[in-house]
Amino acid sequence: MAVSRTEQILNSAEQQCRKQGVRMTPQRKQVMSLMLEQGGPQTAYQLLDQFKARYQSNAQPPTMYRALDFLVQQGLAHRLSSTNQYLACDHITCQHGHRGTVFLLCDQCGGVQETPMAGAAVDELQQTLDEVGFVIQREPLLEVHGRCVDCAAS
Amino acid sequence: MAVSRTEQILNSAEQQCRKQGVRMTPQRKQVMSLMLEQGGPQTAYQLLDQFKARYQSNAQPPTMYRALDFLVQQGLAHRLSSTNQYLACDHITCQHGHRGTVFLLCDQCGGVQETPMAGAAVDELQQTLDEVGFVIQREPLLEVHGRCVDCAAS
DNA sequence: CCTTGTTTTGTTATGTTATAACATTACCCA
DNA sequence: TGGGTAATGTTATAACATAACAAAACAAGG
């Protein structure tokens, strides 16, 4: 293919940022690129090591955390708080604004599967929120731990 | 009232442990008691400070983390991974085995509201899991961030 | 009882994750 | 082209969590 999937997503991310009036700087792009190439979830320090190896050998933790915060803010990445990991969003190129995301985290192989939260669940949640007057500030992320189909078999 | 709510819950917790064939030691009970009295979510180190002040001045982090791990394992407490906090389970005394719990976390006042995950949401989630063959290992916890009704008003 | 295996607790040290604070540089735009 | 804002660099440290091993408490059969 002429344009790799990583490039496609990076371009799409850049457009989204322009639309939001925020800056996708080279540094942020490099971090996102690392996330996309690895594919799976990674800790900030793992990403920092790669970033140092590849782009800037003297980089410090705040550099990575700032980039990650930015990407998460923009919805370009997710933070998995139950494992302290970060992950490029799987659905950047699709249109639907997410109203909820489910992550299936395999405790054996460390893999993650990302799926949109189903409609009824989102509606029910919204109803609960309305009942108690709770105003949401971030897209809800549900982190479900267990075994993926491959690991469950073995 | 003759018996405080805290005592009620502690007794109920003790019974549950006996049924499971695990030991609710004095130390574990003390930690749970601290969680119940505070009411809101607290970090392990906050609880450790209280534990030292109240029960054992030389206690170290592993002591607290062990007790917390035990209580979470037994379903007597929850860990809020998005805020690194721990919280006594609100529904110990009610019967229904939870199949999912939603936490509404107010980012302004730090309060938490705990509600069972609604039925359809749980069913939908189970369906998703079945589709991909994912086998769950812990009760799913959904941590939703925002503003509670009081803080949203102000 | 006593002794033996298991669970719990004590203790020291250290690993891992994340941010505060302030200096410097790059960028935007009037 | 200067002045404000956003981003990055840099140092230090805060906050969260666990490894590893020693000692004590417990429970259960002989």
Side-chain angles (χ1 to χ4, degrees):
Chain A
M1 47 185 169
V3 179
S4 74
R5 171 149 178 80
T6 293
E7 287 176 75
Q8 267 181 43
I9 295 180
L10 284 175
N11 288 337
S12 168
E14 203 156 14
Q15 285 178 351
Q16 270 188 241
C17 287
R18 226 187 311 273
K19 231 186 298 185
Q20 294 301 312
V22 297
R23 286 189 248 165
M24 178 59 110
T25 63
Q27 194 174 78
R28 291 165 174 172
K29 214 164 162 179
Q30 286 161 356
V31 170
M32 178 143 190
S33 160
L34 288 173
M35 298 178 90
L36 288 167
E37 283 177 28
Q38 209 292 336
Q42 300 185 87
T43 70
Y45 278 78
Q46 286 173 333
L47 286 163
L48 179 57
D49 285 344
Q50 294 165 34
F51 186 78
K52 290 200 289 190
R54 185 104 151 248
Y55 297 113
Q56 204 177 319
S57 61
N58 59 334
Q60 299 299 317
T63 295
M64 183 52 60
Y65 280 104
R66 282 167 181 156
L68 291 171
D69 285 350
F70 172 86
L71 295 172
V72 170
Q73 279 282 317
Q74 299 309 313
L76 300 172
H78 298 294
R79 171 177 146 76
L80 301 176
S81 63
S82 66
T83 55
N84 300 311
Q85 288 176 313
Y86 297 83
L87 185 67
C89 176
D90 222 24
H91 298 105
I92 295 170
T93 50
C94 71
Q95 298 306 334
H96 63 82
H98 298 172
R99 297 171 54 211
T101 305
V102 178
F103 296 93
L104 307 182
L105 310 169
C106 180
D107 291 328
Q108 185 161 332
C109 71
V112 174
Q113 188 160 355
E114 178 179 348
T115 76
M117 197 175 288
V122 174
D123 293 341
E124 262 185 4
L125 177 59
Q126 188 58 57
Q127 192 184 331
T128 301
L129 298 175
D130 291 343
E131 277 167 17
V132 302
F134 194 90
V135 182
I136 219 170
Q137 281 179 344
R138 325 180 194 166
E139 173 202 9
L141 303 185
L142 177 56
E143 304 176 25
V144 180
H145 283 263
R147 297 271 168 107
C148 71
V149 63
D150 294 336
C151 292
S154 64
Chain B
M1 48 186 167
V3 179
S4 74
R5 171 149 178 80
T6 293
E7 288 175 74
Q8 267 181 45
I9 295 181
L10 284 176
N11 288 337
S12 168
E14 204 156 13
Q15 284 179 352
Q16 270 188 240
C17 286
R18 225 187 313 273
K19 229 186 300 185
Q20 294 301 313
V22 298
R23 287 188 246 167
M24 179 58 112
T25 63
Q27 194 175 78
R28 290 165 176 173
K29 213 164 163 178
Q30 287 160 356
V31 170
M32 180 146 189
S33 160
L34 288 173
M35 297 178 90
L36 288 167
E37 282 176 28
Q38 211 291 335
Q42 300 185 87
T43 69
Y45 277 77
Q46 286 172 333
L47 287 164
L48 179 57
D49 285 344
Q50 295 165 34
F51 186 79
K52 291 201 286 191
R54 188 105 150 247
Y55 297 113
Q56 205 177 319
S57 60
N58 59 335
Q60 300 298 318
T63 294
M64 184 52 59
Y65 280 104
R66 283 167 182 158
L68 291 172
D69 285 349
F70 172 85
L71 295 171
V72 170
Q73 279 280 318
Q74 300 309 313
L76 301 171
H78 298 294
R79 171 176 147 77
L80 302 175
S81 63
S82 67
T83 57
N84 298 314
Q85 288 176 314
Y86 297 83
L87 186 68
C89 175
D90 222 23
H91 299 105
I92 295 170
T93 50
C94 72
Q95 297 307 334
H96 62 82
H98 298 171
R99 296 170 56 211
T101 306
V102 179
F103 297 94
L104 307 181
L105 310 169
C106 180
D107 291 328
Q108 186 161 334
C109 70
V112 175
Q113 190 161 353
E114 177 180 347
T115 76
M117 197 175 287
V122 174
D123 293 341
E124 262 185 3
L125 176 59
Q126 188 57 57
Q127 194 184 329
T128 301
L129 297 176
D130 291 343
E131 277 167 17
V132 302
F134 194 89
V135 182
I136 219 170
Q137 279 179 346
R138 326 178 192 168
E139 173 201 8
L141 304 185
L142 177 56
E143 303 177 27
V144 180
H145 284 264
R147 298 269 169 108
C148 70
V149 63
D150 294 337
C151 291
S154 65

